């Protein structure tokens, strides 16, 4: 970030800002616009798409921009950007194809929609920052393959916990400590929460009840930890992760002995989380070191005698940090967090209630299902249904509460682009599905 701010200052001095196209104008996206236009020199949000133009207008107005126009042609969009004018479009693919946009920030979180947008942006050699762990945890592997071929960066966002974990992981690894656990700190975990139970909280903060539900029921943290695993080569210790719950306010140091030491030290490391520890909602990495002299130094520096050493970041600041991800991509060809190859961890669909044959599944953060982490190997062997593909599937038979769904339990919708990408991903990485 120290390098990034200097590089952005240079772009500002040269009057050559990084030009951002924003897809989505919900609660988090509006924060991104506000941050970039008011606090990030050397960067500009030149165009916005939202499902409703009113949402896009609101994003600009809340950031202090009153002069903008709605356009629906490629030439109009590019002409306005060239003239330094702010623009709203009703077609997100126009931004993906615009020659004078440097990076697309995708903030919708809708797997089918965002898969089309991100693919189109990559095909047009645009860097992409995704704020949807759901997309990355479903078809991120193959999208990264396409991005590499196009010579562009595909990255999930710093500020969200996966990006913050990856920054910390890189730091820990960089000082010679071997990371053995990447962890997320939660305040609540209840797989049976739904939009009705979360409506009051969502209303208080101006958020979407389904989005709030996806955090409360564990689906979001499953996706977050899955993409960390896929970016580091780590795995999970068990289906759903261990997720120890501690009394609220418990110092984070007390969580270290809640994970099986043999699992941490004998394999590639795991991703996991805890509930109730402080400081929250931050992230942490547990690492180990084999050199006795370095262990002595670590003890001197108050990290203890080992074998585990705790490193943590006490906060994640979401939209405040997202612009740095865009800058890292455009200026340094560096991703905050991206897959390194074949998926290691998947998020699988689990019945939140007793499900009946013939029902159509609702989406992430709704009433019928929640997501759990599982190894990619078991997901393939047991033909488990990825959570990111579950929406609008038709059940072929009854599924009891808390059972993980398989492909045999559903009929997939026809013609979805995300299913096509998923099949390509399976074939590319030789996955049986």
């Amino acid at each position: 970030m120290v390098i990034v701010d200097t590089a952005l200052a240079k772009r500002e001095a040269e009057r050559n800002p990084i030009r951002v196209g924003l897809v989505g104008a919900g609660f988090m996206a509006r924060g991104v616009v506000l941050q970039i236009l008011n606090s990030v020199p050397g960067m500009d949000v030149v165009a916005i798409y939202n499902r409703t133009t009113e949402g896009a207008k609101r994003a600009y107005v809340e950031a202090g921009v009153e002069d903008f126009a709605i356009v629906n042609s490629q030439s109009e969009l590019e002409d306005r950007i060239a003239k330094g004018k702010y623009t709203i479009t009703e077609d997100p693919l126009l931004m993906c194809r615009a020659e004078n946009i440097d990076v697309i920030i995708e903030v919708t979180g809708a797997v089918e929609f965002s898969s089309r947008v991100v693919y189109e942006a990559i095909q047009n050699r645009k860097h992409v920052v995704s704020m949807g762990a759901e997309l990355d945890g479903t078809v991120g592997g193959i999208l990264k393959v396409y991005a590499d071929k196009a010579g562009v960066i595909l990255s999930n966002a710093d500020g969200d916990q996966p990006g913050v974990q990856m920054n910390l992981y890189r730091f820990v690894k960089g000082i010679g400590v071997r990371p053995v656990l990447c962890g997320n700190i939660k305040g609540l975990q209840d797989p049976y929460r739904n939009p009705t139970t979360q409506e009051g909280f969502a209303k208080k903060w101006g958020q979407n009840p389904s989005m709030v539900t996806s955090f409360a029921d564990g689906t979001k943290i499953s996706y977050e930890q899955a993409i960390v695993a896929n970016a580091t080569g780590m795995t999970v210790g068990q289906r759903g992760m261990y997720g120890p719950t501690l009394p609220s306010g418990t110092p984070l140091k007390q969580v270290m002995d809640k994970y099986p030491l043999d699992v941490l030290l004998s394999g590639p490391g795991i991703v996991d989380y805890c509930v109730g520890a402080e400081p929250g909602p931050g992230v942490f990495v547990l690492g180990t070191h084999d050199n006795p002299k370095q262990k002595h130094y670590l003890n001197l520096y108050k990290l203890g005698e080992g074998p585990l050493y705790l490193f943590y970041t006490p906060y994640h600041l979401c939209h405040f940090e997202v612009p740095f991800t865009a800058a890292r991509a455009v200026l340094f060809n560096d991703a905050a967090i991206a897959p390194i190859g074949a998926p290691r961890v998947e998020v699988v669909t689990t019945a939140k209630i007793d499900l009946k044959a013939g029902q159509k599944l609702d989406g992430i953060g709704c009433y019928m299902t929640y997501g759990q982490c599982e190894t990619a190997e078991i997901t393939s062997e047991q033909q488990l249904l990825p959570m990111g593909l579950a929406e609008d599937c038709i059940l072929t038979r009854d599924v009891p509460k808390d059972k993980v769904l398989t492909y045999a339990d559903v009929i997939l919708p026809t013609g979805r682009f995300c299913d096509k990408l998923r099949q390509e991903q399976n074939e590319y990485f030789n996955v049986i599905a």
Side-chain angles (χ1 to χ4, degrees):
M1 186 174 126
V2 174
I3 297 175
V4 169
D5 64 355
T6 301
L8 283 170
K10 184 173 184 291
R11 294 288 289 249
E12 176 75 4
E14 294 170 348
R15 298 184 179 180
N16 180 29
I18 294 171
R19 295 158 298 185
V20 174
L22 191 78
V23 179
F27 176 78
M28 195 60 65
R30 294 197 302 274
V32 172
V33 179
L34 183 67
Q35 179 69 8
I36 291 175
L37 295 186
N38 291 275
S39 303
V40 184
M43 186 176 292
D44 205 2
V45 181
V46 297
I48 301 175
Y49 161 84
N50 191 57
R51 183 172 51 86
T52 65
T53 55
E54 290 305 311
K57 291 177 183 177
R58 179 182 176 184
Y60 269 137
V61 170
E62 288 183 356
V65 173
E66 300 283 351
D67 185 10
F68 49 79
I70 300 170
V71 304
N72 290 294
S73 76
Q74 197 74 56
S75 59
E76 284 182 291
L77 175 62
E78 296 196 21
D79 181 62
R80 286 187 61 84
I81 294 172
K83 292 176 180 178
K85 297 181 178 181
Y86 295 108
T87 306
I88 293 168
T89 175
E90 296 176 295
D91 182 356
L93 301 188
L94 297 183
M95 293 193 297
C96 297
R97 298 164 184 157
E99 291 187 5
N100 47 6
I101 286 180
D102 301 305
V103 57
I104 297 293
I105 301 179
E106 209 290 328
V107 204
T108 69
V111 174
E112 169 65 4
F113 174 82
S114 61
S115 65
R116 292 179 180 273
V117 171
V118 171
Y119 176 83
E120 185 71 17
I122 290 170
Q123 292 301 307
N124 285 276
R125 291 179 168 79
K126 296 280 179 291
H127 301 296
V128 177
V129 174
S130 167
M131 291 188 70
E134 298 87 350
L135 175 71
D136 296 0
T138 305
V139 292
I142 193 63
L143 288 173
K144 175 62 161 52
V145 171
Y146 279 117
D148 289 345
K149 289 180 180 178
V152 295
I153 295 299
L154 171 66
S155 176
N156 202 263
D158 199 357
D160 264 355
Q161 283 154 315
V164 180
Q165 285 177 72
M166 197 66 193
N167 289 341
L168 187 56
Y169 170 91
R170 288 171 65 172
F171 167 77
V172 172
K173 190 176 180 181
I175 63 172
V177 176
R178 178 168 70 91
V180 297
L181 185 148
C182 287
N184 210 324
I185 306 169
K186 288 199 68 178
L188 169 69
Q189 175 80 354
D190 179 356
Y192 310 120
R193 295 297 178 103
N194 61 50
T196 300
T197 66
Q198 303 311 113
E199 185 175 5
F201 183 92
K203 185 177 181 180
K204 175 183 178 181
W205 294 103
Q207 294 180 280
N208 183 301
S210 291
M211 177 62 71
V212 173
T213 300
S214 73
F215 283 94
D217 72 9
T219 302
K220 176 66 77 170
I221 199 168
S222 296
Y223 272 114
E224 290 178 342
Q225 297 313 92
I227 68 171
V228 173
N230 296 337
T232 60
M234 289 182 169
T235 185
V236 286
Q238 64 180 26
R239 178 176 293 176
M241 301 179 283
Y242 296 110
T245 298
L246 300 93
S248 180
T250 299
L252 185 58
K253 285 185 178 181
Q254 294 184 26
V255 81
M256 288 198 291
D257 63 356
K258 304 298 182 182
Y259 306 101
L261 187 61
D262 60 330
V263 173
L264 299 184
L265 299 182
S266 63
I270 65 170
V271 294
D272 216 286
Y273 69 97
C274 66
V275 180
E278 293 288 346
V283 305
F284 63 100
V285 169
L286 298 181
T288 189
H289 210 301
D290 294 329
N291 187 293
K293 292 182 179 179
Q294 295 287 45
K295 292 169 73 172
H296 178 76
Y297 281 115
L298 290 169
N299 194 14
L300 171 68
Y301 301 145
K302 310 305 182 185
L303 292 186
E305 297 181 354
L308 297 178
Y309 303 99
L310 171 65
F311 302 83
Y312 63 89
T313 301
Y315 53 79
H316 70 292
L317 298 177
C318 297
H319 76 275
F320 286 97
E321 300 179 76
V322 170
F324 293 120
T325 314
R328 285 166 65 174
V330 174
L331 300 174
F332 300 104
N333 289 305
D334 181 53
I337 177 169
I340 56 173
R344 299 297 303 272
V345 172
E346 301 276 8
V347 180
V348 295
T349 310
T350 311
K352 187 178 287 189
I353 58 174
D354 290 335
L355 302 173
K356 302 298 181 182
Q359 288 182 310
K360 179 186 286 189
L361 294 178
D362 54 17
I364 291 169
C366 291
Y367 293 89
M368 300 173 76
T369 59
Y370 63 94
Q372 296 186 86
C373 281
E374 181 56 276
T375 66
E377 182 180 12
I378 290 176
T379 300
S380 175
E381 288 176 354
Q382 299 182 10
Q383 291 289 282
L384 304 179
L385 178 66
M387 184 70 184
L389 303 181
E391 186 172 1
D392 292 335
C393 288
I394 304 296
L395 289 161
T396 60
R397 53 195 176 201
D398 295 352
V399 178
K401 181 179 178 179
D402 291 323
K403 184 180 185 297
V404 175
L405 279 71
T406 70
Y407 277 103
D409 293 323
V410 300
I411 299 171
L412 295 172
T414 58
R416 291 194 308 191
F417 189 67
C418 59
D419 293 316
K420 175 180 178 292
L421 283 178
R422 180 71 184 200
Q423 184 60 36
E424 287 185 29
Q425 180 170 289
N426 292 337
E427 292 173 358
Y428 186 88
F429 293 113
N430 297 313
V431 174
I432 299 172

